[in-house]
């Protein structure tokens, strides 16, 4: 009986890890498709932008911020201690040249959150920002955080 429960648990964990990897891939692919086509952000026409790479460091930072907002029931680009996305990435050792952040709450699916971000001119412009080369996204409950960055060279 214990062996069967262990195998079921192992299968669920492996399926969960596979689902997360597929979810990351799907989010990155959709953002890159949007960037490749270009789009309209409010009244501003945004030219196509280069493809982003997934960053585990940016994902970790996004997850920490989403978790903190959920745990302490607040919604802000700044932490409860007043730290910006740049401050939070500095703490993780991300040597950034350009950084940005989109946050959202209340959406239950990726499709809802990306639609809301694209319908918001400032969030849309961040998605289309030509300076960004990496991205990481995390969802904790109904809090979503999307981090963008480009690291310093050298």
């Amino acid at each position: 009986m214990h062996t069967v429960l262990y195998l079921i648990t192992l299968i669920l964990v492996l399926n969960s890890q596979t689902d997360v990897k597929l979810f990351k891939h799907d989010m990155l692919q959709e953002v890159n498709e949007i960037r490749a086509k270009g789009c309209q952000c409010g009244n501003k026409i945004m030219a196509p932008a280069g493809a982003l790479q997934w960053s585990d460091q940016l994902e970790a930072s996004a997850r920490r911020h989403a978790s903190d907002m959920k745990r302490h029931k607040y919604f802000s680009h700044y932490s409860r201690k007043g730290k910006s996305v740049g401050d939070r990435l500095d703490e993780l050792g991300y040597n950034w040249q350009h950084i940005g952040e989109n946050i959202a709450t209340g959406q239950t699916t990726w499709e809802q959150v990306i639609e809301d971000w694209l319908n918001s001119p400032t969030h849309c412009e961040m998605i289309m920002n030509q300076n960004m080369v990496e991205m990481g996204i995390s969802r904790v409950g109904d809090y979503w955080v999307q981090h963008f960055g480009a690291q310093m060279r050298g």
Side-chain angles (χ1 to χ4, degrees):
M1 181 67 174
H2 293 296
T3 304
V4 171
L5 288 176
Y6 173 76
L7 288 174
I8 290 172
T9 302
L10 182 61
I11 289 168
L12 290 174
V13 167
L14 291 175
N15 282 342
S16 175
Q17 290 171 346
T18 301
D19 289 347
V20 168
K21 286 179 183 174
L22 287 173
F23 189 54
K24 289 179 195 180
H25 175 267
D26 291 346
M27 290 187 296
L28 180 63
Q29 182 175 337
E30 184 166 358
V31 168
N32 281 335
E33 287 172 2
I34 293 163
R35 287 172 61 92
K37 292 178 191 170
C39 67
Q40 185 167 344
C41 298
N43 294 327
K44 192 173 186 179
I45 302 295
M46 304 298 291
L52 300 171
Q53 299 296 313
W54 188 265
S55 167
D56 291 335
Q57 240 180 329
L58 292 177
E59 177 190 9
S61 177
R63 184 173 42 258
R64 284 175 65 178
H65 190 52
S67 295
D68 191 59
M69 288 192 295
K70 182 180 188 300
R71 184 179 312 109
H72 298 286
K73 297 179 178 23
Y74 72 98
F75 184 69
S76 175
H77 286 286
Y78 292 89
S79 74
R80 293 173 299 118
K81 296 178 182 177
K83 293 186 177 185
S84 69
V85 62
D87 298 327
R88 296 189 311 269
L89 284 168
D90 286 344
E91 289 177 350
L92 290 178
Y94 188 85
N95 188 21
W96 58 272
Q97 180 176 12
H98 302 285
I99 46 116
E101 176 180 71
N102 282 340
I103 60 175
T105 189
Q107 298 83 355
T108 58
T109 66
W110 163 247
E111 291 77 17
Q112 288 175 333
V113 78
I114 192 67
E115 180 180 350
D116 287 351
W117 281 335
L118 291 172
N119 286 329
S120 163
T122 56
H123 293 93
C124 180
E125 287 177 26
M126 180 55 61
I127 289 168
M128 295 303 297
N129 188 312
Q130 299 268 357
N131 293 319
M132 304 305 174
V133 297
E134 297 181 305
M135 177 186 85
I137 300 175
S138 186
R139 174 188 178 189
V140 178
D142 64 352
Y143 289 84
W144 298 79
V145 178
Q146 181 181 40
H147 280 174
F148 298 91
Q151 295 196 51
M152 294 279 226
R153 295 183 181 165

